[in-house]
Amino acid sequence: MKKLMAMVLVVLLGVVLLAGCASTGGDASSSPAETAQGSDGGTSAASSESTKAADGAKNIGLIIKNETDPFWIDYIDGLEDACEELGFGYTLFSNQAETDIEDQMELCNTVLSQGFDLLVVSPLDSTAIAPFVLECNKANVPIFIIDTAADDAACAEIGAKSDYFVTGEDYLGGKMAAQMLVDALDGTGEVAILEGMSGSSTATAIQEGIMEIFDQNSGIKVATSETANWSRSDGYDVTTNILAAHPTITGLIAANDEMAQGAIQAIEAAGMTDKIKVVTLNYTQDCIDTMKTGQLYGTVDKGPYRQGYQAITRANDLFNGEQIPEKETVPPLAYLYTDPENASDKYVVEDFQ
């Protein structure tokens, strides 16, 4: 395996059972294609990796938001490791831009037509994915949702239902990261927030967690809260504008590592590194490196590798006719600049539930 995390998956995994359990999936036998064709006939969202299953083995289509973000690289490692260990064929797909919802919907429908036994999808938009969930239901193709939820109300309105959902504890992760910043500022300061993409349940849950902690601390003033679309470049641009409009901020919290790294670059360019504490979510090498330099105060690991690995483990259970939970969550872990490579015992999930 690429990572040893999978060996302790069961210990770290927090299970949340919802109303019912999924039934066994369909038994499609056609061989899936290895690329997805865009509406123009080109490979607007081509798969970058594909492994064929042995005769009689299952094939899984993996539709991922992004193949270059470190968070998604870790997620993909978990998905692929589990597929390889369990003998599944898989094909990885991603759309060109993480903000192009229409492109993802076209990709999803194209992949659905290719004969996979199960699809794993990370939606760009929680509401927009609902009609595709229904199409999978109609085609009797199990659909697993990962990281970002399909909106319950949107699905219920049209009678759609995913077979499984795994995610990090986004709300608790937001609370943990916000408490880090409160502590870094000794409970007093003016702060800015970089939010994730609008319409994402992940971004909404993180923001709610952040604001719950800030609302509990009267010494913290939120100067501004703006979206930076999970993007490093947007993180840089938005933070540059924030620093011009709010030069007295002393703290910044970003809903993911890429936005945080852009913010750190903007803060450095403005000569304000010593004046502003930065915290974020996701645990990547860039986070480790900037914690070591003191540019990043701390971060919260949402467990992308563990999430990906568990999703495929549940697919195996489903194929074997076992009942599976509708939803599972992976608990977050906190890391501080004082010890960037070891999880902190100062911020533990039980204290934020």
Side-chain angles (χ1 to χ4, degrees):
M1 291 189 304
K2 296 185 179 75
K3 297 184 183 290
L4 293 176
M5 282 283 195
M7 296 177 64
V8 293
L9 180 66
V10 175
V11 176
L12 293 174
L13 185 70
V15 179
V16 181
L17 297 178
L18 300 184
C21 293
S23 62
T24 57
D27 188 21
S29 59
S30 56
S31 297
E34 293 186 2
T35 58
Q37 299 298 316
S39 57
D40 60 356
T43 54
S44 65
S47 60
S48 64
E49 297 182 41
S50 179
T51 299
K52 293 183 178 179
D55 290 345
K58 302 293 186 180
N59 282 286
I60 299 176
L62 309 172
I63 303 175
I64 304 301
K65 293 178 183 179
N66 184 309
E67 294 182 50
T68 58
D69 185 304
F71 174 86
W72 284 106
I73 291 172
D74 281 351
Y75 217 122
I76 291 165
D77 283 348
L79 291 164
E80 293 181 344
D81 278 0
C83 282
E84 290 166 7
E85 290 174 23
L86 293 166
F88 299 141
Y90 66 87
T91 307
L92 178 66
F93 304 90
S94 66
N95 48 299
Q96 297 291 350
E98 196 169 336
T99 55
D100 195 336
I101 298 168
E102 183 178 353
D103 184 54
Q104 187 184 56
M105 293 303 94
E106 291 179 1
L107 172 62
C108 285
N109 284 295
T110 301
V111 174
L112 177 59
S113 71
Q114 295 183 1
F116 287 99
D117 297 293
L118 182 145
L119 296 181
V120 176
V121 183
S122 56
L124 295 182
D125 184 275
S126 298
T127 301
I129 197 65
F132 179 69
V133 174
L134 181 59
E135 290 304 308
C136 290
N137 296 162
K138 291 178 179 178
N140 198 30
V141 176
I143 177 170
F144 281 18
I145 302 295
I146 58 174
D147 183 56
T148 296
D151 184 77
D152 288 338
C155 286
E157 183 177 353
I158 60 175
K161 186 177 182 181
S162 62
D163 294 86
Y164 174 74
F165 172 50
V166 65
T167 188
E169 292 274 12
D170 296 317
Y171 174 69
L172 295 181
K175 291 176 69 174
M176 290 172 71
Q179 188 61 55
M180 279 186 194
L181 189 56
V182 171
D183 294 344
L185 299 177
D186 294 324
T188 304
E190 188 176 0
V191 302
I193 303 171
L194 297 186
E195 301 177 34
M197 184 175 168
S198 299
S200 161
S201 67
T202 300
T204 299
I206 292 171
Q207 182 72 2
E208 289 175 351
I210 290 171
M211 290 308 303
E212 179 171 331
I213 294 299
F214 287 167
D215 288 344
Q216 293 171 1
N217 289 271
S218 59
I220 298 297
K221 177 185 176 182
V222 178
T224 186
S225 183
E226 304 178 28
T227 183
N229 294 313
W230 308 122
S231 163
R232 185 175 298 216
S233 60
D234 284 3
Y236 180 91
D237 292 341
V238 172
T239 301
T240 298
N241 293 334
I242 288 173
L243 296 177
H246 305 279
T248 59
I249 66 167
T250 55
L252 182 144
I253 184 168
N256 85 336
D257 55 299
E258 285 293 286
M259 294 188 295
Q261 293 303 318
I264 286 169
Q265 292 168 1
I267 291 167
E268 183 177 22
M272 301 177 72
T273 298
D274 293 338
K275 299 178 181 179
I276 300 174
K277 303 292 186 184
V278 179
V279 301
T280 189
L281 291 91
N282 298 343
Y283 183 65
T284 65
Q285 188 59 51
D286 282 344
C287 288
I288 294 172
D289 293 342
T290 48
M291 281 191 285
K292 287 180 177 179
T293 63
Q295 294 169 292
L296 181 67
Y297 183 85
T299 190
V300 175
D301 177 19
K302 292 167 51 184
Y305 183 90
R306 290 176 281 152
Q307 291 181 46
Y309 194 95
Q310 183 66 6
I312 302 304
T313 300
R314 289 305 188 191
N316 186 56
D317 293 341
L318 188 68
F319 290 145
N320 288 332
E322 299 177 21
Q323 289 187 328
I324 63 173
E326 290 184 355
K327 177 181 178 181
E328 289 181 302
T329 56
V330 170
L333 300 172
Y335 292 81
L336 295 171
Y337 76 100
T338 50
D339 190 3
E341 296 182 350
N342 293 289
S344 171
D345 58 5
K346 183 176 181 180
Y347 304 94
V348 293
V349 69
E350 290 79 10
D351 293 338
F352 294 89
Q353 290 176 326

